[in-house]
């Protein structure tokens, strides 16, 4: 079946603009994760959704970052007033429940000029 | 806090050589441990995992043993192939409720030459 998909694959934006990144998880997966990978660094956890529970937002680096998820489907990660340090690959993963194997999307490469 | 340290790359080997990529961790509870692989142009894939001490994860000829006494989860393969060229990430999932957010190492790039 289809894996996790993300769009766009690449996004170039100017400093100060808002961007919206999209993640389509695997159908039936109740858990969804967003990670950020800066060049030369490991993945950083950003936010976690599990079913109808309140999301774990503990990894969001600032209030410019927010994410939403509609039910157990699509999620969007929004970055307002982008800064150059926001340049990174943003990865989405989904899993069957909160303890299942995480399946990753191909990522969105964000470049802030 | 919890953390993962893995050996720096890049690692360059000849085909059929023995591979070890070191990974050590710091965790307050009883984490699960993972190795993920990212082949060129592809997304991250789970390679193997171990959920408790002394467990051995294995897949595609790769193995890693969860060593609580040395807080390690080193990845090994007896004979690498060109197709194993990829970036390998060690990760842990803290034993903290139902949230399985992963904590990652920086990744180790492996290049296997024919």
């Amino acid at each position: 079946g289809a894996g996790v998909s993300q769009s766009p694959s690449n996004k170039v934006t100017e400093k100060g603009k808002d961007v919206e990144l999209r993640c389509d998880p695997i159908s039936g997966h109740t858990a969804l994760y967003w990670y950020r990978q800066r060049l030369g660094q490991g993945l950083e956890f950003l936010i976690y959704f599990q079913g109808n529970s309140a999301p774990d937002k503990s990894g969001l680096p600032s209030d410019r970052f927010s994410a939403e998820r509609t039910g157990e489907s699509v999620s969007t990660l929004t970055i307002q007033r982008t800064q150059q340090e926001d340049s990174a690959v943003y990865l989405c993963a989904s899993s069957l429940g909160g303890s299942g194997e995480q399946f990753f999307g191909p990522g969105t490469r964000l470049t802030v000029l | 806090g919890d953390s993962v340290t893995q050996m720096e790359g890049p690692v360059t080997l000849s085909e059929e050589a023995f591979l070890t990529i070191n990974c050590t961790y710091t965790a307050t509870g009883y984490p699960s441990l993972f190795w993920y692989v990212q082949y060129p142009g592809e997304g991250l894939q789970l390679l193997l995992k171990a959920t408790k001490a002394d467990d051995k994860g294995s897949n595609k000829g790769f193995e890693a043993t969860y060593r609580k006494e040395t807080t390690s989860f080193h990845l090994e393969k007896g004979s690498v192939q060109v197709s194993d060229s990829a970036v390998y990430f060690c990760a842990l999932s803290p034993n903290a409720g139902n949230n399985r957010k992963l904590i990652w190492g920086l990744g180790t790039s492996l290049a296997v030459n024919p």
Side-chain angles (χ1 to χ4, degrees):
Chain A
V4 177
S5 61
Q6 293 185 243
S7 61
S9 56
N10 278 284
K11 176 70 177 178
V12 179
T13 190
E14 294 179 348
K15 179 181 173 181
K17 301 281 191 184
D18 297 351
V19 296
E20 199 170 89
L21 312 180
R22 177 186 169 108
C23 172
D24 283 89
I26 293 173
S27 178
H29 279 193
T30 58
L32 186 147
Y33 308 76
W34 283 98
Y35 295 90
R36 175 171 72 175
Q37 185 178 24
R38 289 170 160 159
L39 188 65
Q41 299 187 20
L43 279 74
E44 303 169 65
F45 166 78
L46 296 178
I47 188 169
Y48 160 77
F49 296 90
Q50 167 57 26
N52 295 320
S53 302
D56 177 352
K57 303 179 181 180
S58 61
L60 294 178
S62 77
D63 59 7
R64 296 186 296 105
F65 287 72
S66 62
E68 293 184 349
R69 188 183 187 194
T70 306
E72 295 183 351
S73 61
V74 172
S75 176
T76 55
L77 176 69
T78 301
I79 309 173
Q80 295 177 309
R81 305 180 303 280
T82 52
Q83 305 295 312
Q84 288 183 333
E85 67 260 25
D86 299 334
S87 295
V89 176
Y90 289 82
L91 291 164
C92 175
S94 70
S95 67
L96 190 62
S99 58
E101 173 187 345
Q102 294 182 29
F103 292 83
F104 283 80
T108 294
R109 181 176 298 278
L110 174 65
T111 303
V112 182
L113 301 176
Chain B
D2 296 348
S3 65
V4 174
T5 303
Q6 62 181 105
M7 65 186 283
E8 292 186 19
V11 174
T12 303
L13 295 173
S14 298
E15 208 164 21
E16 300 183 2
F18 183 86
L19 169 71
T20 300
I21 301 178
N22 290 338
C23 172
T24 57
Y25 68 89
T26 302
T28 53
Y30 299 91
S32 295
L33 300 172
F34 305 84
W35 277 100
Y36 276 79
V37 59
Q38 187 169 30
Y39 298 104
E42 299 185 17
L44 281 162
Q45 304 173 29
L46 179 65
L47 180 59
L48 53 84
K49 67 179 181 181
T51 57
K52 62 183 187 296
D54 299 326
D55 268 3
K56 177 185 284 187
S58 60
N59 187 25
K60 299 182 180 180
F62 291 88
E63 293 184 340
T65 301
Y66 187 162
R67 302 283 189 203
K68 190 168 176 62
E69 63 275 15
T70 54
T71 61
S72 65
F73 193 55
H74 304 322
L75 182 69
E76 297 182 336
K77 186 173 185 180
S79 177
V80 294
Q81 305 300 312
V82 172
S83 57
D84 294 326
S85 299
V87 181
Y88 293 82
F89 292 89
C90 185
L92 72 80
S93 177
N95 183 24
N98 197 33
N99 185 340
R100 300 286 285 202
K101 65 185 182 186
L102 295 171
I103 296 170
W104 298 79
L106 297 184
T108 302
S109 176
L110 170 67
V112 180
N113 297 320

